[in-house]
Amino acid sequence: MDAKPWQDRVREEDALVEQLQLLTSESAKRRAAALLDGVAELGTVADVARDLGKSWTAIDKAIKKNGPSGPTTTA
C-alpha cells in the first residue's frame, strides 16, 4: 500500500485547520449572543459571570470580541 505524499497530507491538514478555525469563529459568535441573552435576563455582565462561575473580564471580553457589534473603536 502506498502512503500519501507528505505534500498531500500537509494540504489536507491545512484544509482541516481552516475548517476548524471557521467553526471556532462561528461558535464564538453564537456564544457571545447567548452571553448577551444572559445579560438581558440577569441584568449585568457580572451577574452572568457569577452564574457561570467565570470571571467578569472573560465574559466582557467574549461579548466585546465576538458580539454582534464586534470590537468598537473611538475616533
Side-chain angles (χ1 to χ4, degrees):
M1 178 176 208
D2 292 326
K4 286 185 182 181
W6 66 268
Q7 295 95 333
D8 291 343
R9 295 190 334 253
V10 169
R11 284 185 202 101
E12 288 174 0
E13 294 305 322
D14 285 346
L16 180 58
V17 167
E18 188 175 325
Q19 288 177 323
L20 291 171
Q21 287 172 337
L22 178 62
L23 289 171
T24 300
S25 175
E26 291 170 349
S27 175
K29 289 177 185 177
R30 290 190 305 270
R31 181 175 182 264
L35 290 169
L36 285 170
D37 289 345
V39 171
E41 181 180 315
L42 299 178
T44 68
V45 170
D47 290 333
V48 171
R50 270 190 291 279
D51 190 74
L52 295 174
K54 300 198 180 277
S55 75
W56 178 90
T57 55
I59 301 302
D60 190 55
K61 285 180 183 179
I63 291 171
K64 286 181 180 175
K65 181 177 180 183
N66 301 298
S69 61
T72 57
T73 58
T74 56

